[in-house]
């Protein structure tokens, strides 16, 4: 690591700490040449590999843009889109994979989007899962209904047990 004071390229780490909930590492360093101390912040750079093979940095804004299209005309607020993008980024970072296919990013969006708005979820899923027939939609809708019914049953049991 190059010293910002003397431009020397030999420094040693004095202290390391995780910051931003483990998303980055703060390192306190000491320059071997001039003896001055400085701090660096190291972040894992997430890269997305597109279908064309091109690699680009992960972008929350692209997640929001894609989900916003699926939510067009739906009662979904901008804050909810931002929170969804943050959830997706956290899920991807927690996987520990620094470079992932764009298709995986799309799949990581599906879970949070399903919780946010079922219609937007169906729109988005139809693209990412490449639905090719009405039966694909029918199956997904049946799965949504079954999940909703399971959730309702669980909530009912909680109410009955006083929980």
């Amino acid at each position: 690591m190059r010293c910002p004071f003397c431009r020397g390229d030999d420094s040693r780490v004095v202290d390391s700490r995780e910051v931003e909930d483990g998303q980055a590492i703060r390192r306190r360093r000491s320059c071997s040449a001039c003896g001055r101390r400085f701090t660096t912040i190291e972040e894992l750079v997430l890269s997305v590999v597109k279908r064309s093979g091109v690699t680009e940095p992960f972008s929350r804004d692209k997640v929001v843009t894609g989900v916003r299209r699926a939510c067009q005309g739906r009662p979904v607020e901008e804050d909810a889109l931002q929170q969804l993008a943050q959830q997706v980024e956290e899920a991807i970072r927690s996987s520990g994979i620094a470079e992932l296919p764009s298709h995986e990013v799309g799949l990581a969006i599906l879970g949070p989007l399903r919780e946010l708005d079922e219609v937007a979820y169906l729109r988005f899923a139809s693209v990412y899962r490449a639905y090719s027939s009405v039966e694909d939609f029918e199956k997904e809708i049946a799965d949504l209904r079954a999940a909703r019914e399971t959730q309702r049953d669980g909530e009912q049991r909680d109410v009955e047990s006083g929980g």
Side-chain angles (χ1 to χ4, degrees):
M1 182 59 60
R2 190 174 298 269
C3 174
F5 305 108
C6 73
R7 309 299 292 158
D9 58 4
D10 186 32
S11 64
R12 65 183 185 86
V13 175
V14 177
D15 181 44
S16 290
R17 296 184 186 178
E18 284 188 5
V19 292
E20 299 175 27
D21 295 325
Q23 302 302 312
I25 298 174
R26 177 187 167 275
R27 297 196 195 278
R28 190 75 180 138
R29 297 178 174 272
S30 175
C31 177
S32 301
C34 70
R36 294 181 76 178
R37 290 185 173 199
F38 58 99
T39 301
T40 59
I41 305 286
E42 300 171 21
E43 279 187 306
L44 171 67
V45 176
L46 291 175
S47 296
V48 177
V49 181
K50 309 291 264 180
R51 285 185 203 129
S52 65
V54 174
T55 301
E56 62 182 46
F58 172 82
S59 168
R60 265 194 211 180
D61 291 337
K62 284 192 172 190
V63 170
V64 170
T65 300
V67 173
R68 186 180 290 127
R69 269 189 236 122
C71 292
Q72 200 165 3
R74 302 294 305 156
V76 176
E77 298 192 12
E78 186 64 26
D79 281 352
L81 296 178
Q82 295 295 332
Q83 287 176 340
L84 184 142
Q86 182 175 345
Q87 284 179 293
V88 169
E89 183 174 358
E90 288 172 0
I92 291 169
R93 284 191 185 277
S94 70
S95 74
I97 301 170
E99 192 174 279
L100 68 159
S102 59
H103 184 74
E104 293 294 323
V105 175
L107 293 176
I109 292 169
L110 289 175
L113 185 55
R114 185 176 186 168
E115 297 296 316
L116 181 64
D117 187 280
E118 290 177 340
V119 172
Y121 165 79
L122 280 171
R123 291 173 178 171
F124 197 88
S126 70
V127 173
Y128 267 88
R129 292 192 172 144
Y131 292 175
S132 58
S133 68
V134 172
E135 288 77 20
D136 292 337
F137 281 95
E138 288 173 340
K139 181 187 179 314
E140 195 66 52
I141 290 168
D143 289 349
L144 282 169
R145 285 184 175 139
R148 194 184 308 148
E149 196 61 38
T150 301
Q151 181 181 5
R152 213 176 284 141
D153 289 347
E155 290 171 358
Q156 183 63 34
R157 277 193 297 276
D158 287 347
V159 169
E160 289 170 358
S161 67

